[in-house]
Amino acid sequence: MRNLDFSSWQTLLSTLLGLSVITLIGVGIRLLLMQTVQQRRERENRQINERLRTLIAAYKSLGGSFTGNLAVNPAHLRDLKRAAAAAGGRVSAAAATGDTVLPGEAVKAGDLGGSDRHRRIRDTVEVALADIILLGTEEQVRLAAHAAQEMIEGRPVHTGELVVSLRNFIREVLNLDPVPQGVQIPTQGPARILGAKTKEGGRDGGGAQGGKTVGGGGGGGSGSSFGPAHSSDEDGTHHA
């Protein structure tokens, strides 16, 4: 300010213009820095939200059940079919020869009905483990990798310890109070998934009702409206 010259209007205007330019440059730099910092914070918040959303979904998949069988069955559908077929063959052979049929073999032979449910649970757990390996903490990645290795080797997988780690991490990130020391939370396991038997039964029931309607129409003398009847031989040849 000591070197400013206010002796004339020209120098005063040039001085004010210079101060305005310097002020605008400073404000522009400040706004640019603020915008850069804000964009970085928004990007970090989006990453945190996406990470939390994924880990919460994995927590629900791995710890959505408190009762029943809390271990993940690693067997694939083809293995279950193979075991059921082998057990069914042994049961049939024992019945043909009059031998005693063991209860365990009978259960294995009829256990294929629940294989679809075990397969759905296993697939859901595999997806959750992959998400945890991608976005989890160091401890969670170690536990998830161990569970995945156990699943590959064909051993039942327990997810209780991993669920506890996820629960503590999520509560900490959300600034929630930790679980009280005196609270005893039961061991958690994968969420049970309902099979598609009910839906398939509904579709089958609808098809049966539709068949009755068509049959009723044919009985009333309107069968010609559905086209000529066809019959098929054993070799698959259709005849009018």
Side-chain angles (χ1 to χ4, degrees):
M1 297 295 292
R2 295 179 181 179
N3 297 326
L4 296 180
D5 188 5
F6 298 103
S7 58
S8 62
W9 286 104
Q10 292 81 5
T11 56
L12 178 62
L13 290 176
S14 61
T15 301
L16 293 177
L17 181 61
L19 290 175
S20 301
V21 171
I22 293 175
T23 303
L24 289 176
I25 293 175
V27 172
I29 294 175
R30 181 178 179 182
L31 291 176
L32 182 61
L33 292 176
M34 291 178 61
Q35 185 177 5
T36 303
V37 172
Q38 183 178 2
Q39 290 178 354
R40 181 179 301 177
R41 288 180 179 177
E42 291 178 354
R43 184 171 60 253
E44 292 177 353
N45 290 335
R46 286 195 300 268
Q47 292 176 354
I48 293 174
N49 293 335
E50 184 66 24
R51 183 184 187 186
L52 273 179
R53 188 181 300 111
T54 303
L55 292 180
I56 289 174
Y59 172 82
K60 292 180 179 179
S61 298
L62 298 179
S65 177
F66 293 94
T67 59
N69 186 9
L70 302 181
V72 182
N73 187 359
H76 289 266
L77 184 60
R78 61 179 182 271
D79 300 330
L80 294 173
K81 287 183 177 180
R82 193 176 303 159
R90 289 194 298 270
V91 172
S92 299
T97 57
D99 296 336
T100 302
V101 179
L102 298 178
E105 293 180 345
V107 171
K108 290 180 181 179
D111 190 45
L112 190 59
S115 61
D116 184 71
R117 179 179 178 181
H118 295 305
R119 178 180 59 82
R120 291 172 181 268
I121 293 177
R122 188 206 65 227
D123 293 344
T124 304
V125 170
E126 285 183 351
V127 173
L129 291 178
D131 291 339
I132 294 173
I133 292 175
L134 177 64
L135 299 175
T137 62
E138 181 179 356
E139 178 186 6
Q140 295 165 6
V141 170
R142 187 180 69 254
L143 294 174
H146 177 71
Q149 186 63 34
E150 292 285 324
M151 187 176 297
I152 291 174
E153 295 176 358
R155 291 192 290 268
V157 179
H158 295 272
T159 60
E161 187 176 358
L162 181 57
V163 169
V164 173
S165 178
L166 287 172
R167 181 175 62 233
N168 295 335
F169 174 75
I170 292 171
R171 294 183 67 89
E172 181 180 357
V173 173
L174 295 177
N175 294 324
L176 300 176
D177 296 332
V179 178
Q181 296 293 334
V183 176
Q184 296 293 333
I185 300 178
T187 303
Q188 296 175 246
R192 291 188 291 272
I193 300 176
L194 297 178
K197 293 183 179 180
T198 304
K199 296 181 180 179
E200 292 178 357
R203 289 195 295 268
D204 294 340
Q209 293 177 359
K212 292 180 181 179
T213 304
V214 173
S222 60
S224 60
S225 63
F226 296 97
H230 294 273
S231 61
S232 59
D233 295 336
E234 294 180 356
D235 57 353
T237 305
H238 294 273
H239 301 281

